[in-house]
């Protein structure tokens, strides 16, 4: 995934992306040794599920990080990538089962079924849906020449190169923005958010997301409160006329249409799991 990454910011008047709130890239910095150590620990915890050898029967071997867990629209998803989606869905899954069924953490939390579904099964289904959405975004970015390769191996090469660039900049006492080193998970999240921000105007510009004035005015009328502003210091809070906030309305409209489009493409993506690998990804 050869890509040009820049910090993406959205105007305060545009509604926040629903998916971004829990995936925002942290601003703290870590050393390379800590990054590699954290990744190694996370990979062992995820793929082995904390299993121990008890008795004469050995525990099943975890899948290799490079093993393909699924194919989405023909794009192979390796275990290493799938592990990121599993990790980001863990807290939400725990909260769902705790709230819905009143269960707490315990040795059999992930493997006990509730209404026919275990938390582990629920989590992996949502992780697969996350993988579909990311695959759709990466494919769109590739089609619009924002990245040269949508595959995860290319992303890993980009991540390694970016961290090397940052190490060199720090050694040369140059100013860098963001962390001195990205973790694999945080850089992947950052890249996807950056591509979202760059794809929205690109798809609007080429007509993939049409934004005629009639649609923008209808959107403005339906979301008037979104564009409320204060009139001067200490003045009343009112909604300006359409012509005064037309650019903001267009950006918000395109954002919502983009979200709806990528969610639809993710739901309808051709997804095929590799049962032996998918089933062997443990959740702990």
């Amino acid at each position: 995934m050869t890509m040009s990454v820049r910090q993406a910011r959205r105007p305060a008047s545009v509604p926040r992306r629903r998916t971004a709130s829990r995936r925002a890239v942290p601003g703290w910095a870590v050393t390379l040794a800590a990054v590699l150590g954290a990744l190694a620990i996370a990979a062992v915890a995820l793929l082995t599920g904390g299993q121990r050898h008890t008795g004469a029967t050995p525990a099943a071997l975890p899948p290799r990080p490079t093993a393909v867990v699924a194919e989405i629209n023909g794009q192979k998803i390796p275990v290493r990538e799938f592990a990121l989606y599993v990790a980001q869905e863990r807290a939400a899954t725990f909260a769902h089962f705790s709230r819905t069924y009143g269960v707490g953490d315990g040795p059999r939390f992930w493997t006990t079924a509730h209404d026919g579904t275990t938390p582990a099964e629920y989590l992996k289904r949502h992780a697969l849906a996350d993988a579909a959405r990311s695959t759709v975004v990466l494919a769109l970015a590739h089609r619009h020449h924002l990245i040269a390769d949508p595959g995860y191996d290319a992303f890993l090469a980009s991540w390694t190169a970016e961290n090397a660039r940052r190490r060199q900049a720090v050694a040369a006492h140059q100013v860098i923005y963001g962390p001195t080193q990205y973790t694999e998970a945080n850089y992947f999240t950052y890249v996807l958010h950056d591509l979202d921000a760059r794809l929205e105007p690109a798809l609007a510009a080429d007509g993939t997301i049409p934004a005629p004035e009639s649609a923008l005015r209808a959107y403005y009328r339906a979301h008037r409160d979104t564009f409320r502003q204060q009139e001067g210091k200490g003045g009343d809070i009112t909604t300006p006329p359409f012509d005064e906030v037309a650019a903001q309305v267009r950006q918000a409209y395109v954002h919502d249409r983009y979200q709806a489009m990528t969610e639809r493409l993710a739901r309808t993506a051709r997804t095929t799991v590799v049962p032996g690998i998918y089933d062997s990804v443990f959740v702990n």
Side-chain angles (χ1 to χ4, degrees):
M1 184 185 302
T2 305
M3 60 189 70
S4 171
V5 178
R6 64 176 185 271
Q7 189 66 35
R9 292 187 172 89
R10 305 188 61 81
S13 61
V14 179
R16 287 186 176 273
R17 191 185 312 277
R18 291 189 298 273
T19 56
S21 59
R22 61 176 177 175
R23 299 180 185 177
V25 178
W28 43 265
V30 293
T31 64
L32 179 62
V35 170
L36 297 178
L39 288 174
I41 293 170
V44 170
L46 169 69
L47 300 179
T48 65
Q51 297 184 102
R52 296 186 177 89
H53 292 270
T54 56
T57 303
L61 292 175
R64 301 186 313 277
T66 56
V68 175
V69 71
E71 285 195 18
I72 301 174
N73 288 344
Q75 181 68 51
K76 291 179 171 57
I77 308 299
V79 168
R80 182 170 183 169
E81 178 183 356
F82 190 64
L84 301 183
Y85 306 117
V86 169
Q88 73 187 13
E89 287 290 349
R90 191 179 187 280
T93 297
F94 183 86
H96 168 76
F97 278 83
S98 177
R99 180 177 62 252
T100 305
Y101 301 104
V103 295
D105 199 5
R108 287 188 289 273
F109 172 82
W110 295 103
T111 56
T112 300
H114 304 274
D115 289 338
T117 301
T118 68
E121 293 166 344
Y122 176 95
L123 185 153
K124 288 201 284 186
R125 283 203 306 271
H126 282 73
L128 199 60
D130 291 344
R133 204 268 174 183
S134 295
T135 300
V136 162
V137 170
L138 292 168
L140 285 170
H142 180 243
R143 194 178 308 154
H144 286 76
H145 310 292
L146 299 180
I147 56 175
D149 186 337
Y152 201 70
D153 285 345
F155 161 76
L156 292 174
S158 176
W159 169 56
T160 300
E162 177 63 18
N163 276 345
R165 184 189 70 79
R166 286 171 179 266
R167 284 196 304 275
Q168 293 169 2
V170 169
H173 306 289
Q174 298 173 352
V175 175
I176 62 171
Y177 298 96
T180 56
Q181 293 286 278
Y182 278 106
T183 66
E184 180 177 347
N186 287 341
Y187 189 62
F188 191 60
T189 299
Y190 169 71
V191 165
L192 287 172
H193 285 178
D194 179 75
L195 290 177
D196 279 337
R198 295 164 66 190
L199 274 168
E200 289 180 17
L203 295 177
D206 72 5
T208 301
I209 300 178
E213 183 171 329
S214 58
L216 297 181
R217 287 185 178 277
Y219 184 88
Y220 167 79
R221 290 192 295 270
H223 300 82
R224 289 180 62 87
D225 288 348
T226 303
F227 307 102
R228 288 165 63 84
Q229 297 178 4
Q230 188 172 27
E231 296 180 351
K233 187 176 181 179
D236 294 336
I237 298 177
T238 61
T239 301
F242 172 81
D243 290 342
E244 292 184 15
V245 291
Q248 297 170 25
V249 172
R250 187 178 190 278
Q251 192 170 8
Y253 174 85
V254 169
H255 169 72
D256 283 2
R257 298 290 79 76
Y258 172 79
Q259 287 293 300
M261 182 187 75
T262 52
E263 288 168 8
R264 174 179 54 80
L265 291 174
R267 286 195 305 271
T268 58
R270 300 185 309 278
T271 301
T272 305
V273 301
V274 180
I277 304 300
Y278 181 83
D279 295 340
S280 63
V281 174
F282 296 97
V283 179
N284 185 319

